[in-house]
Amino acid sequence: MEISWRDLLTVLHGMGFGALFMMAFSGAIGELYEAWSASPRTTLDPRGQKMLRLYLTGMVVIAWLTVLSGTYIIYPWYRALPPAGTTDLSAFPRSLLLSSPHTSGWHNVGMEWKENVAWMAPIVMTMVAYVYWKYGRGINKHPDMRRAVLVFTAVAFIATGIAGGFGVFLNKNAPVRGGATIQLMQGE
Amino acid sequence: MARARTSSTQVEPNGAGMAAILAAGIGCAALGIFDFLGDAFASVGRFFSFYAPVGTLSGVTDSAILVWLLSWFVLAKRWSGRNVVLGHCFLAFALLLVGVLFTFPPFIDLLQGK
């Protein structure tokens, strides 16, 4: 059982960071809504508030790691141009996708949207974490600001979903592969 | 731009939070607009190619982050310790929408008549 170095880093970007960040949204949106609702069922004690602050800070770190690894490690491999005369484009995902009208949309719409919209998530989540650190439960005194933060969080969630969803399909249609081979297990 | 100093010592003024929200909106809009400009004009695209292996995306995102952080710094400096009008929330939403629309390839293709 083998994977390539680029496979490993692509999985780290998509599953290690991206999917973890995506999953963390369900907790963040629920906790923020509950903590900031006008009549919360339970009141977060100081420890709970500290945990939520740390949770949001962790999300911010993961969000930045996701976009930075995607842009500066994976993307250069994805968009590398094949040498003239290359017929096997499997090592050049962008060129492979653009070589057929059946797959070009994955790049022209999927990657072109994903590579930019994904960057909104860390920007927005940094703001959300800052506002929670700054105001905590006190944001209930500013209901419009509370609503704005929740809407921004929802949009960041959607942006992450777009980036993650297209990421999966792009990697299915034109996987980023290459580099050293890593043997995970010896076959029979 | 209407704004007033807080009259209560118990309620944290909304200025710092609104500065962060509006700056996030500005950063997202900058991201979308820079992406559109880099796509529509080859010279802008070349300008934004700060790091060749990543191409235009490197300059688009780096510049948007710079705009976001600068706008946050300026707004926070102006609004911290104050209450600001909540209309800025709607401006922030509008800017966020601009960001989403201008990163959507079919929309920027439409604007370019492609």
Side-chain angles (χ1 to χ4, degrees):
Chain A
M1 189 162 72
E2 296 176 343
I3 59 169
S4 71
W5 174 242
R6 292 182 184 182
D7 272 324
L8 179 66
L9 291 186
T10 304
V11 168
L12 182 69
H13 159 70
M15 294 295 294
F17 300 143
L20 183 62
F21 179 58
M22 184 89 187
M23 286 190 291
F25 265 107
S26 55
I29 291 173
E31 285 294 323
L32 284 174
Y33 183 80
E34 180 59 23
W36 287 351
S37 62
S39 53
R41 289 192 302 275
T42 56
T43 304
L44 276 181
D45 58 17
R47 187 173 178 278
Q49 291 188 46
K50 187 180 172 190
M51 287 304 295
L52 185 50
R53 285 191 173 110
L54 292 176
Y55 186 89
L56 292 172
T57 305
M59 280 186 74
V60 171
V61 171
I62 295 169
W64 284 107
L65 284 174
T66 307
V67 294
L68 288 170
S69 63
T71 301
Y72 288 99
I73 298 174
I74 312 299
Y75 189 59
W77 294 331
Y78 168 85
R79 71 188 292 269
L81 292 174
T86 304
T87 52
D88 178 8
L89 296 173
S90 60
F92 305 94
R94 177 179 178 273
S95 300
L96 179 64
L97 291 173
L98 291 175
S99 67
S100 164
H102 299 294
T103 56
S104 59
W106 288 115
H107 172 78
N108 290 330
V109 177
M111 179 53 92
E112 294 282 350
W113 196 14
K114 161 192 164 62
E115 70 190 22
N116 289 289
V117 81
W119 280 82
M120 290 184 183
I123 291 174
V124 169
M125 288 314 295
T126 303
M127 175 273 284
V128 172
Y130 168 79
V131 171
Y132 191 80
W133 272 92
K134 177 83 179 162
Y135 292 90
R137 292 294 315 277
I139 202 171
N140 284 331
K141 302 284 196 308
H142 305 289
D144 287 333
M145 193 162 77
R146 182 187 70 202
R147 270 194 291 275
V149 172
L150 287 171
V151 169
F152 268 74
T153 308
V155 172
F157 175 61
I158 293 166
T160 306
I162 291 165
F166 275 119
V168 169
F169 283 109
L170 282 159
N171 208 45
K172 284 176 83 71
N173 281 281
V176 174
R177 292 213 168 108
T181 300
I182 301 166
Q183 189 166 19
L184 299 174
M185 197 183 286
Q186 187 66 49
E188 291 177 10
Chain B
M1 197 175 293
R3 88 195 131 185
R5 286 188 183 280
T6 179
S7 58
S8 168
T9 55
Q10 292 178 326
V11 179
E12 180 87 20
N14 71 1
M18 287 303 302
I21 294 168
L22 185 55
I26 291 169
C28 291
L31 184 72
I33 291 166
F34 292 159
D35 174 40
F36 167 69
L37 293 174
D39 194 63
F41 304 102
S43 57
V44 179
R46 281 193 298 276
F47 167 77
F48 276 136
S49 188
F50 292 177
Y51 177 57
V54 174
T56 305
L57 180 63
S58 59
V60 167
T61 54
D62 290 356
S63 302
I65 288 169
L66 189 66
V67 167
W68 163 53
L69 292 176
L70 277 176
S71 60
W72 192 357
F73 177 77
V74 170
L75 290 169
K77 216 164 168 54
R78 289 177 61 127
W79 290 352
S80 281
R82 297 168 182 268
N83 278 311
V84 299
V85 292
L86 292 167
H88 295 301
C89 278
F90 297 104
L91 179 58
F93 289 149
L95 289 166
L96 183 64
L97 186 64
V98 166
V100 173
L101 273 178
F102 277 77
T103 56
F104 185 50
F107 180 75
I108 58 176
D109 285 350
L110 189 71
L111 288 183
Q112 295 174 68
K114 288 184 184 172

